[in-house]
Amino acid sequence: MNSPPNYSLPILSTIIPISGTLYISSPPFACSSHPFLASASYQMANNSSLLLPFLSLLLLLLHHTAGETTEPATSQHSWCIAKPSTSDVHLIDNIQFACGEIDCSPIQANGSCFYPDTKSSHASVAMNLYYQSAGRNPWNCYFSGTGLIVFNDPSYGKCKYEIGR
């Protein structure tokens, strides 16, 4: 009497090197007694080495597109002001630098942004004038780490902070 064919499903394992570490990957099915299934299992094991780079790229794209952007949307306005914790020495340096590059008449004695007559207020106006004239790039508001990009208009009274020259 003939014995029935063996249709058990032994699992074939493949060793896939990943960054110097060995991982064992098992295809979901394998059957050495059936030529088609054995072939499909072999092909899956060989193609699994492409899976890691594909998944890595997919995760990178999802992270890049789903995360917050570092730049504001083009329709959103932004301003550069001095961080509140900035020392007077750095505020003066920022005013001197910005006013050496742009017209700082708004913070002069008769200017629309002279009051309040504080270093922080004057530096914020000057830093924003520079930031707007230089193209509103994050690095144009760096000021040795003392600049802060804000998305709420810091204008007050007669002092109107410029947006995009």
Side-chain angles (χ1 to χ4, degrees):
M1 194 160 137
N2 292 341
S3 62
N6 181 3
Y7 288 109
S8 63
L9 299 175
I11 302 296
L12 297 178
S13 294
T14 306
I15 297 176
I16 302 171
I18 301 172
S19 304
T21 306
L22 294 180
Y23 289 83
I24 297 179
S25 169
S26 297
F29 61 88
C31 181
S32 59
S33 62
H34 193 285
F36 174 75
L37 293 178
S39 174
S41 175
Y42 176 75
Q43 288 176 353
M44 287 176 58
N46 281 343
N47 289 336
S48 66
S49 63
L50 298 175
L51 186 61
L52 183 63
F54 173 75
L55 288 177
S56 298
L57 180 61
L58 181 63
L59 287 173
L60 180 65
L61 289 173
L62 287 174
H63 173 71
H64 182 65
T65 58
E68 293 183 21
T69 58
T70 56
E71 296 181 35
T74 55
S75 64
Q76 189 174 18
H77 298 300
S78 62
W79 296 265
C80 176
I81 61 171
K83 286 183 180 176
S85 61
T86 305
S87 69
D88 284 353
V89 171
H90 283 108
L91 292 172
I92 293 168
D93 288 345
N94 293 348
I95 293 168
Q96 289 175 345
F97 171 78
C99 293
E101 301 291 318
I102 46 99
D103 174 24
C104 282
S105 57
I107 61 172
Q108 300 303 317
N110 292 326
S112 59
C113 296
F114 181 72
Y115 292 106
D117 185 11
T118 64
K119 291 175 185 65
S120 178
S121 178
H122 288 185
S124 291
V125 171
M127 291 164 67
N128 183 64
L129 288 167
Y130 176 80
Y131 170 72
Q132 299 296 333
S133 69
R136 294 178 51 207
N137 299 300
W139 55 86
N140 300 127
C141 185
Y142 183 68
F143 291 94
S144 299
T146 63
L148 179 66
I149 295 174
V150 296
F151 300 100
N152 292 324
D153 188 353
S155 299
Y156 57 92
K158 294 180 181 179
C159 181
K160 303 298 180 202
Y161 277 61
E162 272 192 35
I163 48 176
R165 278 190 185 182

